[in-house]
Structure formats: structure tokens, C-alpha cells
């Protein structure tokens, strides 16, 4: 009887140790993996009661990010009818800016949203397009939720993007994205109106206003370094240069998320999101 009792007691002791080891062992988490062939490229990771969701935006979704007013063809009736317009007036300069975008679309083809609908021209095109309507960036929509009882701290300025070509990219600031322009729309937008001095006045005015609006717009939507208090959700975009070569693998690293307890920083944790293109 004593032998049987000893065996049972030993078994219970070992089981309890195994349970405690399993509960308290800090396993190294694998990065969340997203297959880019899937339409919805969204991934979520929860660690230490911090919930982070990341979505890689499509080109159509990026083009819809703009600070400008959207126009229809009917808004350009005076221009299309060759009526006199004082382009030195600010409102008319904005319409002309949108008209130049309209001309660009006629030349290079319509832009379409994720549902296949054509995108209307706007007076301030997306700051993420170059002079030929291409997007030289990879943009992530990041949502961070603090589920803890104390604050956390994020540092988007340290976010990094790695690819399968052994390249590493840093997150971009406003001045990295906005290019100083002498003219808002380079040679692609030349029309018969360029011979009139009032056009040039409007042209330059639009350039200054476009840069000003885009700076303000980017300050509002870019995720920035800050502390996030309990129960608060922060959402913004993070921008990287697009790799020059076609890649099949990307790893977004969100490093050094600071965890606080009783207003004292106790540790920093990393989040990783892996994106795989199977095409």
C-alpha cells in the first residue's frame, strides 16, 4: 500500500511541475503570417495585453488617401467650353488643378477603387503618387489597442521593413514623402492654357497650397511616437519605400513597444508581421 501511495504522490507532484512550467514559460512567438494572394491582407497579434492589427493597403486604397476635394466632369464646364477664367483666383486655381488631374486620367486611363469604380479627379491628388501616377511606397494601416491597466509607448519612427533580397527599409517622415515642387503638375499636364500668364499665377498658387494641404494631411494620418493610455486605440499609417525589385516575402517589425506598470517602464516587446506573395 505504501509503495502504491508513493507512486501516486510522485505522479501528482510531477504533473503539477509540468503544469507550472507550461503556464509560466515565455515562448518565443512566431510572426503573424499573411498571404498576399488573399484579398484581405489583415493580421492581428495580441501580446502582453497589447493588440496590434496591420493591413497592407492596395494601390487603389492608397490613391483614395487625399486631402483634396473631389470633382466631377461637370465642374469643368467653363474650361471645356473655352470660357475666360481668372486663374489667379484661389478657387479657380483649385479647379484648374483638378482639371489637370482629369486630363492626366484621360491620357493614362482611369483610376479604380477596390470595387472597380472609377475614381474622380481631385484638386489635391494623393501625396503618395509620383508625377506619372505611380506609387513608389508600401503603406501599412496600423491599429494599436492598449488593453492593459497602464500606459504603453510606441515608436513608429523605429519601425522596419525587411524583404527576401536582404534589404531593410526605415519608416518615412513627412519630409521624406513630400517633395518640394516648383510646379504642381510637371510637363504631363501641358494644355493650351499654359500660354496665358493668369494660368501660371494659378499654377504656382496651387503648388503652394497643395504642399501645405498635404503636410497637414500627413500630420493627421501618419502614426507617430507617443504614449497610449489604458483603453485607448490609436490608428494611423506607416510608409516605406517600395523595394526596387519584385519580392515574395516581407517582414514588418514593430520594435520596442514599451510596457509600463505603476507608471514605471518594466520591459519592451517586439511585434512581427510576415507577408508572403505566392504569385
Amino acid at each position: 500500500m505504501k509503495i502504491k501511495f508513493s507512486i501516486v504522490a510522485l505522479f501528482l507532484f510531477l504533473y503539477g511541475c509540468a503544469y507550472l512550467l507550461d503556464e509560466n514559460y515565455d515562448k518565443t512567438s512566431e510572426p503573424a503570417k499573411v498571404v498576399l494572394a488573399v484579398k484581405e491582407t489583415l493580421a492581428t497579434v495580441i501580446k502582453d495585453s497589447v493588440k496590434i492589427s496591420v493591413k497592407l493597403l492596395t494601390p487603389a486604397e492608397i490613391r483614395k488617401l487625399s486631402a483634396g476635394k473631389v470633382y466631377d466632369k461637370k465642374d469643368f464646364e467653363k474650361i471645356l467650353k473655352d470660357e475666360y477664367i481668372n486663374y489667379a483666383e484661389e478657387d479657380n486655381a483649385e479647379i484648374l488643378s483638378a482639371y489637370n488631374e482629369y486630363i492626366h486620367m484621360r491620357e493614362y486611363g482611369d483610376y479604380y477603387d477596390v470595387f472597380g469604380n472609377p475614381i474622380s479627379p481631385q484638386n489635391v491628388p494623393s501625396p503618395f503618387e509620383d508625377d506619372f501616377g505611380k506609387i513608389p511606397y508600401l503603406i501599412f494601416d496600423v491599429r494599436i489597442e492598449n488593453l492593459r491597466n497602464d500606459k504603453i509607448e510606441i515608436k513608429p519612427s523605429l519601425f522596419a521593413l525587411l524583404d527576401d533580397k536582404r534589404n531593410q527599409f526605415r519608416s518615412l517622415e513627412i519630409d521624406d514623402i513630400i517633395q518640394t515642387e516648383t510646379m504642381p503638375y510637371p510637363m504631363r499636364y501641358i494644355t493650351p492654357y499654359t500660354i496665358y500668364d493668369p494660368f501660371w499665377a494659378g499654377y504656382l498658387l496651387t503648388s503652394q497650397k497643395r504642399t501645405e494641404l498635404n503636410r497637414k494631411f500627413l500630420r493627421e494620418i501618419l502614426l507617430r511616437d507617443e504614449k497610449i493610455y489604458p483603453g485607448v486605440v490609436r490608428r494611423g499609417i506607416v510608409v516605406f519605400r517600395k523595394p526596387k525589385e519584385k519580392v515574395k516575402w516581407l517582414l514588418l517589425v514593430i520594435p520596442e513597444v514599451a510596457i509600463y506598470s505603476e507608471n514605471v517602464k518594466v520591459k519592451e516587446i517586439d511585434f512581427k508581421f510576415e507577408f508572403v506573395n505566392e504569385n
Side-chain angles (χ1 to χ4, degrees):
M1 290 294 293
K2 290 183 178 180
I3 295 175
K4 289 184 177 180
F5 177 78
S6 299
I7 293 174
V8 172
L10 180 61
F11 172 77
L12 292 174
F13 174 76
L14 292 175
Y15 177 80
C17 290
Y19 173 78
L20 290 173
L21 286 171
D22 183 65
E23 285 293 302
N24 295 285
Y25 181 63
D26 187 13
K27 298 178 181 178
T28 303
S29 59
E30 294 294 326
K33 185 175 181 179
V34 177
V35 178
L36 297 183
V38 180
K39 183 177 181 180
E40 185 69 16
T41 56
L42 175 67
T44 299
V45 171
I46 301 177
K47 190 189 298 185
D48 283 281
S49 296
V50 178
K51 181 179 180 180
I52 300 184
S53 299
V54 173
K55 185 180 189 299
L56 179 59
L57 298 183
T58 65
E61 290 170 328
I62 293 172
R63 288 191 174 98
K64 293 171 72 174
L65 296 175
S66 170
K69 177 182 175 182
V70 176
Y71 289 86
D72 294 319
K73 182 178 179 180
K74 63 183 179 181
D75 294 312
F76 309 131
E77 288 182 355
K78 286 187 177 181
I79 298 177
L80 295 174
K81 290 180 180 179
D82 202 22
E83 295 183 14
Y84 172 76
I85 298 175
N86 182 4
Y87 292 118
E89 294 181 7
E90 186 172 342
D91 290 342
N92 289 336
E94 290 190 13
I95 292 176
L96 178 64
S97 177
Y99 175 70
N100 286 334
E101 186 70 10
Y102 169 78
I103 292 296
H104 169 65
M105 290 181 180
R106 300 283 74 76
E107 181 178 352
Y108 291 94
D110 288 329
Y111 297 148
Y112 293 89
D113 62 21
V114 291
F115 302 104
N117 303 313
I119 298 174
S120 299
Q122 47 203 2
N123 62 319
V124 184
S126 171
F128 306 111
E129 295 183 63
D130 64 16
D131 293 334
F132 298 95
K134 296 182 179 179
I135 302 172
Y137 306 108
L138 290 177
I139 300 179
F140 296 87
D141 181 1
V142 180
R143 183 181 186 275
I144 301 176
E145 183 175 359
N146 183 5
L147 303 173
R148 301 179 58 81
N149 294 323
D150 209 329
K151 63 189 175 186
I152 63 173
E153 186 175 4
I154 60 170
K155 300 176 183 176
S157 60
L158 299 181
F159 287 13
L161 185 66
L162 287 63
D163 66 19
D164 56 5
K165 306 295 183 182
R166 302 174 66 86
N167 296 312
Q168 178 174 317
F169 304 89
R170 64 176 180 86
S171 58
L172 301 179
E173 304 290 341
I174 293 177
D175 289 337
D176 298 320
I177 299 170
I178 293 201
Q179 302 297 321
T180 303
E181 303 174 64
T182 55
M183 295 187 296
Y185 299 99
M187 301 301 286
R188 66 174 184 169
Y189 289 115
I190 282 186
T191 71
Y193 297 97
T194 56
I195 63 175
Y196 298 111
D197 288 339
F199 172 86
W200 287 105
Y203 210 74
L204 296 174
L205 177 65
T206 303
S207 174
Q208 297 168 358
K209 188 173 183 67
R210 176 185 179 186
T211 300
E212 176 188 334
L213 287 174
N214 275 334
R215 282 187 178 279
K216 180 181 177 182
F217 177 64
L218 289 172
R219 282 195 296 269
E220 293 174 351
I221 66 171
L222 286 179
L223 200 65
R224 61 180 184 271
D225 295 8
E226 63 178 327
K227 292 182 173 67
I228 303 176
Y229 288 85
V232 174
V233 176
R234 270 284 180 249
R235 184 178 180 182
I237 64 169
V238 182
V239 183
F240 297 91
R241 292 283 180 194
K242 183 182 291 185
K244 294 181 179 180
E245 302 178 73
K246 185 176 181 180
V247 298
K248 293 187 176 181
W249 177 86
L250 293 169
L251 181 67
L252 174 64
V253 181
I254 299 179
E256 301 181 19
V257 176
I259 303 297
Y260 285 78
S261 179
E262 297 181 355
N263 213 32
V264 176
K265 183 164 69 173
V266 293
K267 65 177 177 178
E268 294 179 337
I269 56 177
D270 295 349
F271 290 77
K272 296 180 180 180
F273 296 86
E274 183 180 6
F275 295 84
V276 180
N277 189 349
E278 295 187 343
N279 294 329

